[in-house]
Amino acid sequence: MGSNTERLLKLVGPIHIVGGLILFASGFSTTALSFLESVFPATPHVAWSPFFVAVFGPTVASWGLLFGALVDHFFAAPSIHTWRILLLSLILWAPLDTALCLAYRFYSGAVLNLIVFTVITVLLVAARRRIR
């Protein structure tokens, strides 16, 4: 059994896959759409688009699959190269996504990004000890 760091990092991918599939399902399910609208309501600066929410789902799910595969690879054969790619994926995503959230005054999205970025970065820093 792996460490807590390993177990938590190995949850990131599956959580994104499930979240992406919920986003996708909202295009076909009024229950999923209602759930998402209650969690992420429209604001005066952000229009709710059921199509764009649903079409974004496969992107989120595939990112989760790729991140999960890289995490598995890292723990199977720890290397600085794989670790840097994992960190780079966060460094690429977080500022760009957060900038959009701030530009459109979607502050809850920016806060969520900050929390997720911080938690995953702390876990990656802790996992770096695996590299010999």
Side-chain angles (χ1 to χ4, degrees), residues 11 15 29 34 45 54 56-57 68 80 83 93 96-97 105 107 126-127:
L11 282 175
I15 289 170
S29 165
S34 296
H45 308 287
F56 184 56
I80 192 67
W83 185 86
W93 155 75
L96 298 177
D97 196 282
R105 300 180 188 171
Y107 300 120

Side-chain angles (χ1 to χ4, degrees), residues 24-41:
F24 171 76
S26 73
F28 301 97
S29 165
T30 56
T31 302
L33 182 61
S34 296
F35 169 72
L36 290 173
E37 286 178 317
S38 71
V39 174
F40 302 106

Side-chain angles (χ1 to χ4, degrees), residues 50-64:
F51 169 75
F52 284 113
V53 169
V55 81
F56 184 56
T59 301
V60 172
S62 66
W63 185 90

Side-chain angles (χ1 to χ4, degrees), residues 7 11 17 44-45 52 62 72 75 83 90 92 101 113 119 126:
R7 283 192 290 271
L11 282 175
I17 293 168
H45 308 287
F52 284 113
S62 66
D72 285 345
F75 284 106
W83 185 86
L90 295 176
L92 182 64
C101 289
N113 285 351
V119 168

Side-chain angles (χ1 to χ4, degrees), residues 73-85:
H73 178 73
F74 174 79
F75 284 106
S79 75
I80 192 67
H81 179 73
T82 304
W83 185 86
R84 285 179 179 156
I85 292 171

